[in-house]
Amino acid sequence: MIELRYVLGGPQGGGLETTSEILSWAFSKSGYGVISDREYFSNIKGRHSYVHATVSATELPKHLSYPVDIVAAMDAETVFTHFNDLRDGGYLIYNSDDDSVNYAGIPSMEKDLRDRLGAQFKGLGLDGTVRSVVKYLQNSRKARVVALSFKELLMEIQKREGIVPSQASRYISTILVGAVAAITDINEESLDYSLRRRFTREDVYRHNKSMAQIVMGLVKGQFGSELKLEQPRISAREFLVASGNDAIAMAKIVAGVRFQAYYPITPAADESFTLEEYETLSGEGSLVVFQTEDELAAINAAIGAALTGVRSSVATSGPGFDLMVEGLGWAGQNEVPIVVTYYQRGGPSTGQPTRGGQSDLLSSVFASHGEYPRIVLASGDHEEAFYDAIDAFNYAEVFQVPVIHLVDKFLANTIATIPMPDLNNVRITRGTLAPKGLKVYKRFDLSSVISPRAFLGDYVMWYSGDEHDEYGHINEDPVNRINMFDKRMRKLDIMEKEIPEERRFSYFGPERPDILLIGWGFVKGVAVKAIDELNSEGMRVGYYHIRAFIPFPRESLTKLTKEVEANNLVAVEHNYMAQASRLVTMNTGIMINRSIVKYTGRPIYVHELVNAIKNMLKGSTREVISYGA
Amino acid sequence: MERKMKLTINDYKTDVWVDWCPGCGNFGILSAMYQALADLQLEPEKTVVVSGIGCSGKTPHFVNVTGVHTLHGRALPYAEGIKLANPGLTVVVNVGDGDLLGIGAAHFVALGRRNVDLVVIMHDNTVYGLTKGQASPTLTRNLQPKALPKPNIQDAVNPIGLAIASGYTFIARGYAARVQHLKELIKKAILHKGAAFIDVLQPCVTYDNIHTYDYYNKRVYDLQEEGWDPVAKSPEELPQKAAQALVKSYESDDRVPIGIFLVNPNVPTFEERYSQRLPNYLKIPPAREPIEVGGKPVISIEKFKDLFKKYVIELR
């Protein structure tokens, strides 16, 4: 095998994250690429949560797909929720103590799913117990079933390691680790490395190792290592294994962020937590992470900080961004470099607080009243997000505008293997700064479009949200209004000239594709994989990835779309309206009449994208895809 | 910048025309500000006046120190961002009662909890002047200043009481017509280490025909002249002191106290709290830290790997 896919499921707060981390580290330690998406409810403990991963021997994967090779279940709910996700002949790992549990009696399961399962079970003639589902998988789907009595295993570990019974349930996560490790024949050193990394307390490490070994012994005795991956063919000496939140936090530190204000919101808050962890920059500096009373305070405090010359940012999600919009306008009016890292989730309103989406694009491009220039970047994967976060600060300062960096929940909570960043090519550009010792300083000097910036403390200067003169004083004169307005808006032309077109997009696929997919954000990884699959079947499909919405990659897209039949342009997005396609039209005049959209809050999977594209070839103009629990 | 030996009041004035209504209480506040700045000889570049929106919002344009005229209700977050990024600056906020206690009330409470070292001067005239005299959060229920079509239906907030409850460590009230007294309050507030709040009674001559100069002149009395010692000398003394200050803050109708209600020197400033966690915070504030060397990040790849080792997986 060169690619392994698995789902690990269990109750929120039940140790799933530990299982996922240990496996991700172990596979990457052996040189495999890993991507591991986390899906969860807005709930602290008890609701169904799962991890869906791809492990690859040939690439650093950026896509997820179904069906999977392994479903590993901590609880009965996972068996019911995910048995359909298992490929024929795949492995089900589950707790045989749950055999008689009936789906109808699981309180944490949403009624809609229960109703759908009820209908399916009726059709299949199953009685709705775990046992009946397992039998069905074995008989009709050739599944290999790894039935483990968790109770017996926990008794065993208590006995062996002298653990008190009340603590034993902590080791459930390692039962899954041991079972997956056995079937996939994970390198034992790598597994040991992960366990050590995860459990820093010697006794806890030992107990977990012991549990893993007990399970591995049991499972290996019963099954071979059928799901063993080929030797990895990725040339790397080291990886970063991190979530999107963490990758962006690291990038911000490289970029020199020294002030971040935030108000807690899923899925953005983890970024600020990570920054706070590094607030002393290991003893040399100070990175002030400021938890404010609300998002209004967060953005405005960050703007205030930016006026002092510090690189300053906020991280938020849709509802928080809405509150920040007023401050964003002030920053635009006052030409303040400020970075907003925007983790999109399902809206409107609180929508789906813990699920993903790309429905805030138009909102961020047009946010706030009045007109002012801004930059909007959008990252497609962890690596892009890293470099985009650095560019965001550079652009903010060079052009003296607010920069919105769009990412999403998929990226935020997905752990991936990332190549070690190439810091040699990273530049810090602070833009035009005012010299010291001027007799008179005019913050909004009209002799250039981008006036030299001085920091509070250097000179006396004024800022005002009102239209202002060169000094920053309120001024309602009509001629001044034109001069100041033009000065601000002309930055759009400068940005257009100075930010290279290649920076704003990437293209994957044949030179003159018959079908062109156009997407952005987390669509990138899955689209690239899908066109590979389709092209290997003899089709000619390309993927155009938009990485900046302002300034828009007008030229390359216009050129490329000219070569493709108008009817073969397909928007692929995580929103209802295909929002990016509307911006394409606005910027280029090209209409995109076909779309593949998903707005269930779950990522687009390779298999469903491939199917959707094939359906389009049969004439459909809109595909709404929806796979996933 | 070249600096004269001694800055005078005129050095703190800009040539921007002060467009407040003739007789506005804000003139007294502005005058007290000029005098306080001159008395303290504050460096104009190192001093920042932050404001929100409305008549008080224009204050920075009239003062020849750095001015940041922000959004309605949001002056405090701006001021906190400025001060926390560069604690070397002196930050004085001028805001209206609607600004601070209406739209910005959450920020007012939060600043008290943090005790950031800055000064908040509230221009308290009980109305929203610049939008034609609507009731502000400090207007008493059933009063009907002349612009209101009906008597005020909402109760007034007690600004001093709210400041006490929120944790401000310097709480005072001034009166715009007692400029010398107000000047001294502003100076003490600036010199105080921590969040200082001054509620300034400020007649709106255009829209508030109730709280006139005459109204206040008859009622105002100085707490300190009557022997009130506002200082809580120890943490143990604070509850009692705060309770007594709160009682004084409810005096109104016939007698309106001005002066210092409470000083609590026992709470660390927010900057001191950050310094506990960030040893170099005050020495090299975030705004003054280098972030690049010759255009490259100060974080080299070696430093990166060391800093973020928990994310690095080294292969064999």
Tab-separated table of all heavy atoms in Angstrom, chain A residues 118-165:
chain	number	residue	atom	x	y	z
A	118	GLY	N	-31.889	3.930	11.284
A	118	GLY	CA	-33.057	3.073	11.462
A	118	GLY	C	-33.560	2.573	10.118
A	118	GLY	O	-33.815	1.370	9.935
A	119	ALA	N	-33.666	3.483	9.176
A	119	ALA	CA	-34.149	3.122	7.842
A	119	ALA	C	-33.190	2.139	7.176
A	119	ALA	O	-33.612	1.133	6.584
A	119	ALA	CB	-34.303	4.381	7.004
A	120	GLN	N	-31.884	2.414	7.328
A	120	GLN	CA	-30.896	1.544	6.693
A	120	GLN	C	-30.927	0.136	7.314
A	120	GLN	O	-30.904	-0.861	6.601
A	120	GLN	CB	-29.501	2.145	6.804
A	120	GLN	CG	-28.490	1.423	5.905
A	120	GLN	CD	-27.060	1.914	6.081
A	120	GLN	OE1	-26.791	2.822	6.873
A	120	GLN	NE2	-26.139	1.325	5.348
A	121	PHE	N	-30.971	0.100	8.647
A	121	PHE	CA	-30.966	-1.199	9.334
A	121	PHE	C	-32.195	-2.008	8.952
A	121	PHE	O	-32.136	-3.216	8.760
A	121	PHE	CB	-30.907	-1.008	10.853
A	121	PHE	CG	-29.585	-0.465	11.346
A	121	PHE	CD1	-29.482	0.209	12.564
A	121	PHE	CD2	-28.425	-0.626	10.577
A	121	PHE	CE1	-28.263	0.709	13.010
A	121	PHE	CE2	-27.203	-0.119	11.031
A	121	PHE	CZ	-27.133	0.554	12.240
A	122	LYS	N	-33.315	-1.310	8.846
A	122	LYS	CA	-34.552	-1.990	8.469
A	122	LYS	C	-34.378	-2.631	7.094
A	122	LYS	O	-34.701	-3.801	6.888
A	122	LYS	CB	-35.693	-0.968	8.452
A	122	LYS	CG	-37.040	-1.605	8.606
A	122	LYS	CD	-38.111	-0.546	8.841
A	122	LYS	CE	-39.482	-1.139	8.509
A	122	LYS	NZ	-40.479	-0.084	8.297
A	123	GLY	N	-33.811	-1.848	6.184
A	123	GLY	CA	-33.575	-2.339	4.829
A	123	GLY	C	-32.650	-3.548	4.800
A	123	GLY	O	-32.819	-4.451	3.980
A	124	LEU	N	-31.683	-3.533	5.705
A	124	LEU	CA	-30.686	-4.621	5.716
A	124	LEU	C	-31.124	-5.784	6.598
A	124	LEU	O	-30.452	-6.806	6.670
A	124	LEU	CB	-29.335	-4.091	6.227
A	124	LEU	CG	-28.622	-3.054	5.355
A	124	LEU	CD1	-27.425	-2.460	6.100
A	124	LEU	CD2	-28.147	-3.681	4.037
A	125	GLY	N	-32.212	-5.595	7.293
A	125	GLY	CA	-32.703	-6.624	8.194
A	125	GLY	C	-31.850	-6.776	9.449
A	125	GLY	O	-31.701	-7.883	9.975
A	126	LEU	N	-31.270	-5.684	9.938
A	126	LEU	CA	-30.442	-5.747	11.166
A	126	LEU	C	-31.273	-5.322	12.361
A	126	LEU	O	-32.184	-4.504	12.238
A	126	LEU	CB	-29.233	-4.826	11.032
A	126	LEU	CG	-28.353	-4.991	9.791
A	126	LEU	CD1	-27.179	-4.003	9.843
A	126	LEU	CD2	-27.830	-6.417	9.680
A	127	ASP	N	-30.911	-5.873	13.545
A	127	ASP	CA	-31.695	-5.520	14.737
A	127	ASP	C	-31.200	-4.242	15.423
A	127	ASP	O	-31.753	-3.825	16.432
A	127	ASP	CB	-31.736	-6.702	15.717
A	127	ASP	CG	-30.379	-6.977	16.373
A	127	ASP	OD1	-29.422	-6.183	16.152
A	127	ASP	OD2	-30.275	-7.976	17.111
A	128	GLY	N	-30.147	-3.640	14.879
A	128	GLY	CA	-29.716	-2.347	15.412
A	128	GLY	C	-28.704	-2.433	16.532
A	128	GLY	O	-28.333	-1.416	17.119
A	129	THR	N	-28.240	-3.640	16.863
A	129	THR	CA	-27.191	-3.746	17.876
A	129	THR	C	-25.823	-3.650	17.191
A	129	THR	O	-25.704	-3.836	15.974
A	129	THR	CB	-27.244	-5.102	18.600
A	129	THR	OG1	-27.139	-6.128	17.614
A	129	THR	CG2	-28.527	-5.255	19.392
A	130	VAL	N	-24.819	-3.392	18.013
A	130	VAL	CA	-23.452	-3.380	17.498
A	130	VAL	C	-23.145	-4.738	16.873
A	130	VAL	O	-22.591	-4.838	15.775
A	130	VAL	CB	-22.447	-3.055	18.627
A	130	VAL	CG1	-21.015	-3.324	18.181
A	130	VAL	CG2	-22.604	-1.607	19.102
A	131	ARG	N	-23.585	-5.781	17.566
A	131	ARG	CA	-23.296	-7.132	17.084
A	131	ARG	C	-23.847	-7.333	15.667
A	131	ARG	O	-23.167	-7.860	14.786
A	131	ARG	CB	-23.912	-8.165	18.048
A	131	ARG	CG	-23.538	-9.627	17.715
A	131	ARG	CD	-24.230	-10.625	18.640
A	131	ARG	NE	-23.770	-10.555	20.025
A	131	ARG	CZ	-24.482	-10.077	21.042
A	131	ARG	NH1	-25.720	-9.621	20.838
A	131	ARG	NH2	-23.998	-10.063	22.265
A	132	SER	N	-25.071	-6.852	15.437
A	132	SER	CA	-25.695	-7.055	14.122
A	132	SER	C	-24.932	-6.293	13.032
A	132	SER	O	-24.772	-6.793	11.920
A	132	SER	CB	-27.163	-6.628	14.154
A	132	SER	OG	-27.276	-5.218	14.251
A	133	VAL	N	-24.451	-5.102	13.388
A	133	VAL	CA	-23.702	-4.302	12.410
A	133	VAL	C	-22.365	-4.974	12.093
A	133	VAL	O	-21.944	-5.050	10.932
A	133	VAL	CB	-23.492	-2.859	12.930
A	133	VAL	CG1	-22.567	-2.077	12.001
A	133	VAL	CG2	-24.824	-2.135	13.077
A	134	VAL	N	-21.731	-5.505	13.145
A	134	VAL	CA	-20.440	-6.167	12.953
A	134	VAL	C	-20.607	-7.401	12.064
A	134	VAL	O	-19.845	-7.631	11.125
A	134	VAL	CB	-19.830	-6.561	14.321
A	134	VAL	CG1	-18.594	-7.448	14.136
A	134	VAL	CG2	-19.463	-5.301	15.121
A	135	LYS	N	-21.662	-8.157	12.329
A	135	LYS	CA	-21.953	-9.350	11.517
A	135	LYS	C	-22.150	-8.971	10.051
A	135	LYS	O	-21.629	-9.615	9.140
A	135	LYS	CB	-23.236	-10.033	12.046
A	135	LYS	CG	-22.981	-10.887	13.271
A	135	LYS	CD	-23.032	-12.378	12.886
A	135	LYS	CE	-22.271	-13.237	13.895
A	135	LYS	NZ	-22.834	-13.149	15.271
A	136	TYR	N	-22.921	-7.910	9.877
A	136	TYR	CA	-23.206	-7.450	8.517
A	136	TYR	C	-21.900	-7.063	7.793
A	136	TYR	O	-21.682	-7.447	6.642
A	136	TYR	CB	-24.168	-6.255	8.570
A	136	TYR	CG	-24.119	-5.380	7.337
A	136	TYR	CD1	-24.733	-5.782	6.147
A	136	TYR	CD2	-23.438	-4.160	7.358
A	136	TYR	CE1	-24.667	-4.988	5.012
A	136	TYR	CE2	-23.366	-3.363	6.227
A	136	TYR	CZ	-23.977	-3.787	5.057
A	136	TYR	OH	-23.896	-3.011	3.938
A	137	LEU	N	-21.037	-6.354	8.513
A	137	LEU	CA	-19.764	-5.942	7.905
A	137	LEU	C	-18.938	-7.168	7.514
A	137	LEU	O	-18.356	-7.230	6.435
A	137	LEU	CB	-18.964	-5.059	8.868
A	137	LEU	CG	-19.434	-3.610	9.047
A	137	LEU	CD1	-18.581	-2.901	10.098
A	137	LEU	CD2	-19.381	-2.845	7.723
A	138	GLN	N	-18.947	-8.144	8.421
A	138	GLN	CA	-18.156	-9.356	8.167
A	138	GLN	C	-18.694	-10.134	6.975
A	138	GLN	O	-17.959	-10.531	6.083
A	138	GLN	CB	-18.207	-10.272	9.402
A	138	GLN	CG	-16.975	-10.146	10.258
A	138	GLN	CD	-17.093	-10.957	11.538
A	138	GLN	OE1	-18.182	-11.088	12.097
A	138	GLN	NE2	-15.975	-11.474	12.001
A	139	ASN	N	-20.010	-10.299	6.976
A	139	ASN	CA	-20.603	-11.170	5.973
A	139	ASN	C	-20.757	-10.485	4.616
A	139	ASN	O	-20.408	-11.059	3.586
A	139	ASN	CB	-21.972	-11.677	6.452
A	139	ASN	CG	-21.806	-12.509	7.713
A	139	ASN	OD1	-20.722	-13.054	7.967
A	139	ASN	ND2	-22.859	-12.613	8.504
A	140	SER	N	-21.295	-9.259	4.636
A	140	SER	CA	-21.616	-8.628	3.361
A	140	SER	C	-20.498	-7.758	2.829
A	140	SER	O	-20.469	-7.430	1.655
A	140	SER	CB	-22.874	-7.772	3.496
A	140	SER	OG	-23.894	-8.539	4.058
A	141	ARG	N	-19.607	-7.305	3.700
A	141	ARG	CA	-18.598	-6.350	3.250
A	141	ARG	C	-17.178	-6.872	3.453
A	141	ARG	O	-16.217	-6.110	3.305
A	141	ARG	CB	-18.802	-5.003	3.988
A	141	ARG	CG	-20.250	-4.460	3.874
A	141	ARG	CD	-20.431	-3.509	2.730
A	141	ARG	NE	-19.606	-2.340	2.936
A	141	ARG	CZ	-19.979	-1.294	3.690
A	141	ARG	NH1	-21.162	-1.268	4.259
A	141	ARG	NH2	-19.165	-0.289	3.838
A	142	LYS	N	-17.091	-8.148	3.791
A	142	LYS	CA	-15.789	-8.813	3.940
A	142	LYS	C	-14.869	-8.104	4.941
A	142	LYS	O	-13.643	-8.152	4.816
A	142	LYS	CB	-15.047	-8.895	2.587
A	142	LYS	CG	-15.875	-9.391	1.422
A	142	LYS	CD	-15.757	-10.913	1.302
A	142	LYS	CE	-16.580	-11.467	0.143
A	142	LYS	NZ	-18.052	-11.281	0.301
A	143	ALA	N	-15.483	-7.434	5.892
A	143	ALA	CA	-14.658	-6.705	6.856
A	143	ALA	C	-13.889	-7.651	7.754
A	143	ALA	O	-14.337	-8.762	8.048
A	143	ALA	CB	-15.540	-5.785	7.701
A	144	ARG	N	-12.713	-7.200	8.160
A	144	ARG	CA	-11.915	-7.936	9.139
A	144	ARG	C	-12.216	-7.280	10.473
A	144	ARG	O	-12.043	-6.072	10.616
A	144	ARG	CB	-10.437	-7.812	8.801
A	144	ARG	CG	-10.137	-8.054	7.321
A	144	ARG	CD	-9.714	-9.444	7.035
A	144	ARG	NE	-8.304	-9.631	7.367
A	144	ARG	CZ	-7.769	-10.820	7.608
A	144	ARG	NH1	-8.521	-11.892	7.589
A	144	ARG	NH2	-6.475	-10.920	7.876
A	145	VAL	N	-12.651	-8.045	11.424
A	145	VAL	CA	-13.114	-7.449	12.669
A	145	VAL	C	-12.151	-7.714	13.822
A	145	VAL	O	-11.855	-8.860	14.140
A	145	VAL	CB	-14.530	-7.956	13.022
A	145	VAL	CG1	-14.945	-7.446	14.392
A	145	VAL	CG2	-15.516	-7.497	11.964
A	146	VAL	N	-11.656	-6.654	14.390
A	146	VAL	CA	-10.770	-6.761	15.549
A	146	VAL	C	-11.624	-6.462	16.777
A	146	VAL	O	-11.855	-5.306	17.120
A	146	VAL	CB	-9.600	-5.759	15.451
A	146	VAL	CG1	-8.638	-5.937	16.614
A	146	VAL	CG2	-8.884	-5.902	14.116
A	147	ALA	N	-12.134	-7.517	17.385
A	147	ALA	CA	-12.997	-7.340	18.551
A	147	ALA	C	-12.153	-7.431	19.812
A	147	ALA	O	-11.495	-8.438	20.049
A	147	ALA	CB	-14.075	-8.419	18.546
A	148	LEU	N	-12.150	-6.351	20.567
A	148	LEU	CA	-11.336	-6.336	21.789
A	148	LEU	C	-12.243	-6.017	22.962
A	148	LEU	O	-13.034	-5.078	22.892
A	148	LEU	CB	-10.264	-5.236	21.684
A	148	LEU	CG	-9.243	-5.389	20.552
A	148	LEU	CD1	-8.477	-4.075	20.367
A	148	LEU	CD2	-8.276	-6.528	20.842
A	149	SER	N	-12.142	-6.790	24.020
A	149	SER	CA	-12.900	-6.441	25.220
A	149	SER	C	-12.090	-5.395	25.995
A	149	SER	O	-11.068	-5.718	26.594
A	149	SER	CB	-13.145	-7.676	26.088
A	149	SER	OG	-13.589	-7.247	27.357
A	150	PHE	N	-12.556	-4.168	25.925
A	150	PHE	CA	-11.821	-3.097	26.614
A	150	PHE	C	-11.761	-3.371	28.115
A	150	PHE	O	-10.773	-3.085	28.771
A	150	PHE	CB	-12.477	-1.729	26.352
A	150	PHE	CG	-12.246	-1.177	24.961
A	150	PHE	CD1	-11.805	-1.984	23.916
A	150	PHE	CD2	-12.457	0.175	24.695
A	150	PHE	CE1	-11.596	-1.467	22.641
A	150	PHE	CE2	-12.250	0.702	23.427
A	150	PHE	CZ	-11.822	-0.120	22.391
A	151	LYS	N	-12.859	-3.939	28.632
A	151	LYS	CA	-12.921	-4.218	30.066
A	151	LYS	C	-11.789	-5.166	30.469
A	151	LYS	O	-11.054	-4.903	31.414
A	151	LYS	CB	-14.288	-4.843	30.408
A	151	LYS	CG	-14.697	-4.659	31.849
A	151	LYS	CD	-16.185	-4.887	32.038
A	151	LYS	CE	-16.542	-6.355	31.851
A	151	LYS	NZ	-18.005	-6.594	31.856
A	152	GLU	N	-11.646	-6.235	29.671
A	152	GLU	CA	-10.594	-7.203	29.994
A	152	GLU	C	-9.204	-6.584	29.858
A	152	GLU	O	-8.317	-6.827	30.681
A	152	GLU	CB	-10.697	-8.434	29.072
A	152	GLU	CG	-11.775	-9.397	29.531
A	152	GLU	CD	-12.047	-10.488	28.496
A	152	GLU	OE1	-11.126	-10.812	27.716
A	152	GLU	OE2	-13.184	-10.991	28.464
A	153	LEU	N	-9.043	-5.784	28.818
A	153	LEU	CA	-7.731	-5.149	28.611
A	153	LEU	C	-7.389	-4.205	29.760
A	153	LEU	O	-6.256	-4.143	30.230
A	153	LEU	CB	-7.708	-4.380	27.286
A	153	LEU	CG	-7.653	-5.250	26.030
A	153	LEU	CD1	-7.951	-4.428	24.790
A	153	LEU	CD2	-6.270	-5.920	25.915
A	154	LEU	N	-8.405	-3.469	30.232
A	154	LEU	CA	-8.159	-2.534	31.330
A	154	LEU	C	-7.862	-3.293	32.625
A	154	LEU	O	-7.015	-2.866	33.419
A	154	LEU	CB	-9.339	-1.582	31.501
A	154	LEU	CG	-9.584	-0.633	30.310
A	154	LEU	CD1	-10.856	0.192	30.511
A	154	LEU	CD2	-8.394	0.294	30.074
A	155	MET	N	-8.513	-4.436	32.807
A	155	MET	CA	-8.211	-5.257	33.988
A	155	MET	C	-6.773	-5.756	33.914
A	155	MET	O	-6.050	-5.754	34.905
A	155	MET	CB	-9.169	-6.455	34.063
A	155	MET	CG	-10.616	-6.033	34.148
A	155	MET	SD	-11.451	-6.521	35.650
A	155	MET	CE	-11.571	-8.288	35.427
A	156	GLU	N	-6.429	-6.175	32.729
A	156	GLU	CA	-5.086	-6.710	32.499
A	156	GLU	C	-4.013	-5.654	32.824
A	156	GLU	O	-3.040	-5.930	33.520
A	156	GLU	CB	-4.984	-7.147	31.023
A	156	GLU	CG	-3.600	-7.515	30.541
A	156	GLU	CD	-3.208	-8.950	30.899
A	156	GLU	OE1	-4.123	-9.726	31.248
A	156	GLU	OE2	-1.998	-9.269	30.854
A	157	ILE	N	-4.234	-4.442	32.346
A	157	ILE	CA	-3.227	-3.393	32.574
A	157	ILE	C	-3.189	-2.993	34.049
A	157	ILE	O	-2.133	-2.710	34.604
A	157	ILE	CB	-3.448	-2.167	31.643
A	157	ILE	CG1	-2.220	-1.238	31.651
A	157	ILE	CG2	-4.646	-1.330	32.042
A	157	ILE	CD1	-1.114	-1.714	30.788
A	158	GLN	N	-4.343	-3.036	34.691
A	158	GLN	CA	-4.370	-2.749	36.137
A	158	GLN	C	-3.503	-3.748	36.888
A	158	GLN	O	-2.729	-3.402	37.757
A	158	GLN	CB	-5.797	-2.873	36.678
A	158	GLN	CG	-6.683	-1.681	36.394
A	158	GLN	CD	-8.122	-1.994	36.770
A	158	GLN	OE1	-8.399	-2.434	37.880
A	158	GLN	NE2	-9.033	-1.790	35.848
A	159	LYS	N	-3.681	-4.997	36.490
A	159	LYS	CA	-2.957	-6.069	37.159
A	159	LYS	C	-1.452	-5.940	36.894
A	159	LYS	O	-0.635	-5.943	37.791
A	159	LYS	CB	-3.474	-7.430	36.634
A	159	LYS	CG	-3.644	-8.441	37.749
A	159	LYS	CD	-4.410	-9.688	37.314
A	159	LYS	CE	-4.069	-10.146	35.910
A	159	LYS	NZ	-5.032	-11.058	35.306
A	160	ARG	N	-1.163	-5.800	35.621
A	160	ARG	CA	0.245	-5.790	35.210
A	160	ARG	C	1.023	-4.607	35.767
A	160	ARG	O	2.160	-4.730	36.195
A	160	ARG	CB	0.317	-5.727	33.696
A	160	ARG	CG	1.190	-6.833	33.139
A	160	ARG	CD	1.430	-6.596	31.698
A	160	ARG	NE	0.852	-7.697	30.937
A	160	ARG	CZ	1.250	-8.015	29.714
A	160	ARG	NH1	2.145	-7.295	29.104
A	160	ARG	NH2	0.707	-9.026	29.110
A	161	GLU	N	0.409	-3.432	35.749
A	161	GLU	CA	1.137	-2.213	36.113
A	161	GLU	C	0.720	-1.648	37.469
A	161	GLU	O	1.218	-0.604	37.865
A	161	GLU	CB	0.944	-1.145	35.032
A	161	GLU	CG	1.474	-1.543	33.658
A	161	GLU	CD	3.007	-1.639	33.613
A	161	GLU	OE1	3.670	-0.953	34.418
A	161	GLU	OE2	3.526	-2.402	32.773
A	162	GLY	N	-0.211	-2.318	38.134
A	162	GLY	CA	-0.638	-1.831	39.445
A	162	GLY	C	-1.323	-0.475	39.390
A	162	GLY	O	-1.065	0.408	40.208
A	163	ILE	N	-2.177	-0.333	38.382
A	163	ILE	CA	-2.912	0.933	38.249
A	163	ILE	C	-4.239	0.808	38.989
A	163	ILE	O	-4.890	-0.235	38.938
A	163	ILE	CB	-3.183	1.222	36.753
A	163	ILE	CG1	-1.867	1.380	36.004
A	163	ILE	CG2	-4.037	2.464	36.568
A	163	ILE	CD1	-1.990	1.280	34.516
A	164	VAL	N	-4.645	1.900	39.671
A	164	VAL	CA	-5.936	1.833	40.372
A	164	VAL	C	-7.060	1.874	39.336
A	164	VAL	O	-6.951	2.566	38.327
A	164	VAL	CB	-6.109	2.987	41.400
A	164	VAL	CG1	-5.176	2.784	42.575
A	164	VAL	CG2	-5.881	4.346	40.759
A	165	PRO	N	-8.156	1.122	39.596
A	165	PRO	CA	-9.223	0.994	38.590
A	165	PRO	C	-9.752	2.342	38.078
A	165	PRO	O	-10.055	2.481	36.896
A	165	PRO	CB	-10.320	0.229	39.337
A	165	PRO	CG	-9.597	-0.522	40.404
A	165	PRO	CD	-8.407	0.308	40.781
